[in-house]
Amino acid sequence: MASGDVSTTPISTRRGPFQPGDRVQLTDPKGRMHTVTLAAGRSFHTHRGALAHDELIGLPEGSVVTSAGGTAYLALRPLLADYVLSMPRGAQVIYPKDAAQIVAMGDVFPGARVLEAGAGSGALTCSLLRAVGTDGEVHSYETRADFAEVARANVQAFFGGPHPAWRLHVGDVASCPEVGFDRIILDMLTPWEVLDLVARALLPGGVFVGYVATTPQLSELVEALRADGGFTEPRAWESLVRDWHVDGLAVRPDHRMIGHTAFLVSARRLAPGVSAPPRRRKPSKGAEAYAARRRDQAGAPVPSDAAGPAAPDGTEGPAPSLGPVAGTAPA
């Protein structure tokens, strides 16, 4: 399928008895999982003995099959979260916990037109395509052709063929000629540099979501959205996931957890020519430090009224320090 082409190939139904071509997840008694793609006449081999694919074909999900060595395996189709964590990777994938936040908090709905950049390994793309369905559109931009091919292979492997709602483009999202998107999701190094595209291509009321890894990126993106004036007040957050060990009365959190992966930033597009009412905020040393850094970067002289907050006696205090990392002074 060429870049931007639309396919009418039906996607996998992912229900009913196992059929040739289905991906099946086999779980052994110790909880170890193996994924196989069913093909008539083939076998799955481990040191615990062979298991013929023909024994799985025709069985309903949730069946138990036994290898020649006597090991029982539970057979299920892998969930999207399972697939994402085991898929071949070009770029780092967006973890399921973050993809779920993007789909839910971004309110990606059936039939929506969505623009994403970059495509990476196709992990988020799978979630977006699931959400928009066959009546929507997902336009994915990826600057690297090798990553785009990895994403294409992963998405097609998950859906059992090309998805009719997907348009994959190799190139810079800034050159996207399309407009009228309901949602725009940017997973890129400097998303604030393409906010003019977001302002042009996102419908009024549409949702923008940015995915960034570091606090300097988070600061730049939020302040750029505020400075643009055409978006609602940005919201920034992260998600943390911790499993729990439950065994009778022994109930405790697991020692390992999925902690920080990235920050999420969301805002909604205002109508053309409309500016949101200014948000009232208390004086913040963090905001003052950010403004001072921007002035330094622009080479502008520091105005006399920016020396710092007023002292109790009415005189101005010292200018705030930027700290070890510019723009990260505590509020």
Side-chain angles (χ1 to χ4, degrees):
M1 184 175 69
S3 174
D5 284 356
V6 179
S7 169
T8 57
T9 303
I11 60 176
S12 172
T13 58
R14 295 181 55 81
R15 63 160 60 100
F18 293 129
Q19 300 295 330
D22 283 352
R23 298 174 66 88
V24 178
Q25 185 172 272
L26 301 173
T27 306
D28 69 17
K30 291 188 176 181
R32 291 174 296 204
M33 292 180 289
H34 311 269
T35 302
V36 299
T37 301
L38 295 182
R42 296 189 63 181
S43 297
F44 166 66
H45 293 270
T46 72
H47 67 285
R48 296 180 178 273
L51 176 64
H53 289 199
D54 290 338
E55 293 186 30
L56 287 161
I57 294 173
L59 290 180
E61 279 199 82
S63 296
V64 175
V65 290
T66 304
S67 70
T71 299
Y73 290 92
L74 173 63
L76 293 162
R77 290 185 176 91
L79 302 176
L80 175 55
D82 300 323
Y83 179 72
V84 163
L85 295 177
S86 63
M87 66 166 51
R89 301 184 184 185
Q92 175 65 35
V93 301
I94 291 182
Y95 276 80
K97 71 183 184 72
D98 294 326
Q101 289 280 305
I102 291 170
V103 170
M105 305 308 292
D107 193 33
V108 182
F109 57 90
R113 297 187 73 238
V114 180
L115 172 64
E116 71 155 338
S121 297
L124 178 61
T125 308
C126 289
S127 292
L128 295 175
L129 289 170
R130 274 272 193 87
V132 305
T134 55
D135 293 331
E137 291 181 17
V138 174
H139 290 253
S140 302
Y141 276 78
E142 175 55 56
T143 57
R144 291 185 51 170
D146 54 340
F147 285 179
E149 288 307 310
V150 171
R152 188 194 307 278
N154 284 334
V155 171
Q156 292 187 3
F158 181 74
F159 288 106
H163 195 290
W166 193 31
R167 284 77 163 156
L168 176 61
H169 310 268
V170 179
D172 189 344
V173 69
S175 64
C176 174
E178 298 280 340
V179 296
F181 289 103
D182 301 293
R183 306 291 183 259
I184 295 181
I185 298 102
L186 298 182
D187 171 19
M188 50 193 297
L189 188 62
T190 55
W192 53 88
E193 293 182 353
V194 293
L195 286 186
D196 56 340
L197 162 72
V198 178
R200 171 177 60 82
L202 189 61
L203 290 170
V207 180
F208 163 77
V209 180
Y211 182 86
V212 293
T214 69
T215 52
Q217 289 174 297
L218 177 63
S219 175
E220 288 289 346
L221 180 55
V222 169
E223 296 302 335
L225 287 165
R226 287 172 176 160
D228 181 276
F231 297 89
T232 59
E233 174 65 14
R235 179 197 173 201
W237 78 100
E238 65 175 337
S239 63
L240 309 175
V241 175
R242 182 174 67 180
D243 286 352
W244 278 68
H245 169 87
V246 181
D247 187 3
L249 296 180
V251 180
R252 57 169 175 76
D254 276 352
H255 298 304
R256 299 178 62 184
M257 67 178 291
I258 303 176
H260 174 74
T261 48
F263 298 105
L264 292 165
V265 177
S266 66
R268 300 188 69 178
R269 184 77 177 104
L270 300 177
V274 174
S275 296
R279 182 67 62 94
R280 291 185 177 181
R281 297 188 186 88
K282 294 181 179 179
S284 163
K285 290 185 178 180
E288 293 166 356
Y290 179 83
R293 185 184 68 173
R294 298 293 290 182
R295 287 193 298 270
D296 291 343
Q297 290 174 341
V302 178
S304 59
D305 61 354
D313 61 359
T315 62
E316 289 183 340
S321 169
L322 294 184
V325 179
T328 58

